Amino acid sequence: MIDLVIPSLLETLYMVFFSTIFSILLGFPLGIILVVTEKGGIWEKPLLNKILDSIINLFRSFPFLILMILLFPLSKLIIGKTIGTTATIVPLSISAAPFVARVMESSLKEVDKGVIEFSLAMGATIPQIITRVLLPEALPSIILGITLTIINLIGYSAMAGSIGGGGLGDLAIRYGLYRFQTDIMIIAVVIIVILVQSIQFIGNTLSARINKK
């Protein structure tokens, strides 16, 4: 049994790790642009903000499995195939990027506007305010948001297993559902629960430590 579980666990970790990186690379700047271009923002651009907001809402409206199927051509173009753990990273990243953008937007909006106004009055530029004020001030909240993103990606990766994505979800479905090996399904679920609990604990601890500084 361990010969089945370990490779599936590694596949899940592989998918979640790279999907988290790529979704942050995509969603992080989007969240920042959303905040600085909003009405009353430090780089007010209402039209750009509205367009970006609509695009993010559009992608967040798609259920993950449907989005994954729709993105098969893109996975084929980038990876050269539509199924498997590496191919699944493409839809996982794209589905999580809008979520990351909203997490970033929410975190940055928590920053005291007085601090931003003071920085502007001191002559700070927009990039300086973003990198030296907004991001450091919002860091504990950003860490919690990224933690939530990773947990969502673990859930998505399990769903991806139902259509050839590999990982623990695939293991649970192939052996637990189709071959009636309930013990394997239970082990897969228990590992997923442990993963989620561990990541939440690490995220909470890291955020709390930074918040105390």
Side-chain angles (χ1 to χ4, degrees), residues 21-41:
I21 291 175
F22 292 131
S23 63
I24 289 174
L25 289 176
L26 290 170
F28 209 77
L30 292 177
I32 293 174
I33 295 172
L34 272 176
V35 172
V36 299
T37 59
E38 67 178 0
K39 187 177 181 181

Side-chain angles (χ1 to χ4, degrees), residues 31-89:
I32 293 174
I33 295 172
L34 272 176
V35 172
V36 299
T37 59
E38 67 178 0
K39 187 177 181 181
I42 56 178
W43 189 54
E44 193 174 322
K45 300 287 180 187
L47 181 60
L48 174 61
N49 185 276
K50 191 172 182 180
I51 293 172
L52 199 56
D53 187 71
S54 299
I55 293 173
I56 290 172
N57 283 341
L58 176 66
F59 275 90
R60 288 196 68 194
S61 302
F62 285 95
F64 173 67
L65 286 180
I66 294 175
L67 183 63
M68 185 174 174
I69 294 168
L70 291 175
L71 291 174
F72 273 170
L74 183 61
S75 299
K76 179 76 174 177
L77 180 67
I78 296 174
I79 308 297
K81 52 187 178 181
T82 57
I83 61 173
T85 52
T86 302
T88 305
I89 291 172

Side-chain angles (χ1 to χ4, degrees), residues 27 30-32 34-35 38 60 98-112 134 137-138 141-142 145 148:
L30 292 177
I32 293 174
L34 272 176
V35 172
E38 67 178 0
R60 288 196 68 194
F99 183 79
V100 173
R102 289 299 183 200
V103 164
M104 279 297 299
E105 180 189 21
S106 175
S107 298
L108 295 178
K109 280 185 174 180
E110 292 176 5
V111 177
D112 187 352
L134 286 175
E137 289 289 327
S141 178
I142 291 173
L148 194 57

Side-chain angles (χ1 to χ4, degrees), residues 4 35-36 49 57 80 108 117 121 134-135 137 146 152 157 161 177-178 189 193 197 201:
L4 294 172
V35 172
V36 299
N49 185 276
N57 283 341
L108 295 178
E117 289 170 0
L134 286 175
L135 294 178
E137 289 289 327
I146 292 174
N152 280 343
S157 71
L177 181 63
Y178 297 144
V189 171
V193 170
Q197 295 293 332
F201 174 77

